[in-house]
Amino acid sequence: MKLRPFFIAPLLALAMLGAHAADKLRIGVVPGAYADSVAVAAREAKAQGINVEVVEFTDWTTPNVAVDSGDLDINYFQHQPFLDNAIQKNGYKLASAGTGILANVGLYSLKHKTVAEVPQGGKVGIANDPVNQGRGLLLLQKVGLIKLKPGVGFLGTINDIVENPKKLSFVEVEGPQLVRITPDVDIAQGYPHFIVAAKAFDPSSGLAYSGIEDARFAIQFVVKANRTQDPVIQKFIRIYQNSEAVKADTLRAFSNDKRLYTLAWTKQ
């Protein structure tokens, strides 16, 4: 059966509309290295037929809600342990579609030059979510300020501290806000990319760092669980991972210090 010309034009228009819609992505980020690198990749993606809208958030809760509800296609701010915990707590149908930057975590002080100088009764700034708090506590244990229950790992909380010889008190805030409270405490867990973004102090001045080779804390491209192989999403992730401009901007965002991050996908 032959289609008459007046049927063909509407069908072509619908096909073109569908293709255009498929090549749009909304990506949620938090300010700093992750947002900047995604913005760089978005410019390259546009040249390859994908229109990317980058949406910034200032918290670590809303981006998962937005992807789960379909308001975002991707979010790019969290590592796998954080995602696993969010899924367990909230029942999200989310999964990782690809791996991004592995950021180091440090202990920072604007009052003391060494960990040993932290005084009795000193204040410690630490992330308030279970996974990142656990990561900070492991670092505090590593430098000898506290001791945790055996085997708690990176899911430990301040309730798992069994030895606190300096009787430290803890100020719990969301991870992105730790840089803001660092001047007000004796020592704080810190993320170099947030420190750079805030232009607060030297991110290479940490008193101690976590192991940057720990790939489980690499940031993930998180999508609905049924969209991990979506061709447009996978195309964008390939653009991001293969972009020399993204690599250059990431180095800038981490204060030109390669000790502070790893391009985790290159280590897989």
Side-chain angles (χ1 to χ4, degrees):
M1 176 181 176
K2 291 185 178 181
L3 289 174
R4 295 187 179 183
F6 57 82
F7 284 124
I8 294 174
L11 288 173
L12 287 174
L14 286 171
M16 291 175 66
L17 180 62
H20 183 67
D23 290 345
K24 290 182 179 179
L25 292 175
R26 298 187 81 230
I27 303 179
V29 295
V30 294
Y34 309 145
D36 293 349
S37 63
V38 167
V40 170
R43 291 195 290 272
E44 296 194 6
K46 187 174 180 63
Q48 298 189 39
I50 305 175
N51 291 319
V52 178
E53 180 184 356
V54 182
V55 183
E56 285 199 1
F57 295 87
T58 57
D59 68 279
W60 287 356
T61 301
T62 313
N64 278 335
V65 175
V67 172
D68 194 62
S69 68
D71 291 331
L72 293 177
D73 298 292
I74 308 171
N75 68 46
Y76 185 64
F77 77 99
Q78 65 193 313
H79 46 61
Q80 191 65 47
F82 185 96
L83 174 61
D84 291 342
N85 184 68
I87 290 170
Q88 183 179 8
K89 285 180 61 179
N90 300 290
Y92 297 136
K93 304 297 184 183
L94 303 177
S96 170
T99 298
I101 301 166
L102 170 60
N104 207 347
V105 171
L107 293 176
Y108 292 89
S109 178
L110 301 183
K111 298 180 179 180
H112 312 294
K113 294 183 178 180
T114 67
V115 170
E117 292 178 18
V118 176
Q120 289 284 327
K123 290 183 178 181
V124 180
I126 197 160
N128 66 356
D129 69 274
V131 174
N132 285 292
Q133 183 168 117
R135 195 178 180 192
L137 290 171
L138 285 174
L139 190 50
L140 289 166
Q141 178 174 253
K142 180 179 177 180
V143 300
L145 287 176
I146 62 169
K147 187 173 181 180
L148 298 167
K149 293 177 184 176
V152 297
F154 59 81
L155 290 178
T157 72
I158 56 176
N159 295 323
D160 294 310
I161 298 172
V162 292
E163 292 183 21
N164 182 6
K166 291 194 174 185
K167 295 181 171 53
L168 303 171
S169 61
F170 293 85
V171 181
E172 301 175 75
V173 299
E174 282 204 343
Q177 306 305 319
L178 283 164
V179 65
R180 295 173 182 262
I181 70 163
T182 300
D184 303 320
V185 298
D186 290 283
I187 193 168
Q189 178 182 352
Y191 300 84
H193 50 293
F194 290 139
I195 295 168
V196 172
K199 300 179 180 178
F201 46 86
D202 181 2
S204 298
S205 65
L207 305 184
Y209 293 102
S210 63
I212 198 167
E213 73 285 348
D214 197 346
R216 65 186 168 183
F217 293 113
I219 300 303
Q220 303 296 310
F221 291 93
V222 173
V223 302
K224 281 191 171 184
N226 62 357
R227 296 190 67 194
T228 58
Q229 299 305 313
D230 182 296
V232 179
I233 288 172
Q234 285 299 321
K235 182 178 179 180
F236 177 80
I237 294 172
R238 288 194 300 273
I239 290 169
Y240 181 97
Q241 293 178 340
N242 292 313
S243 169
E244 292 303 318
V246 165
K247 293 173 186 176
D249 193 75
T250 300
L251 178 61
R252 174 204 59 78
F254 283 91
S255 198
N256 295 305
D257 188 344
K258 290 187 176 181
R259 298 174 303 165
L260 303 182
Y261 73 98
T262 296
L263 303 177
W265 64 88
T266 68
K267 306 299 182 182
Q268 294 179 332

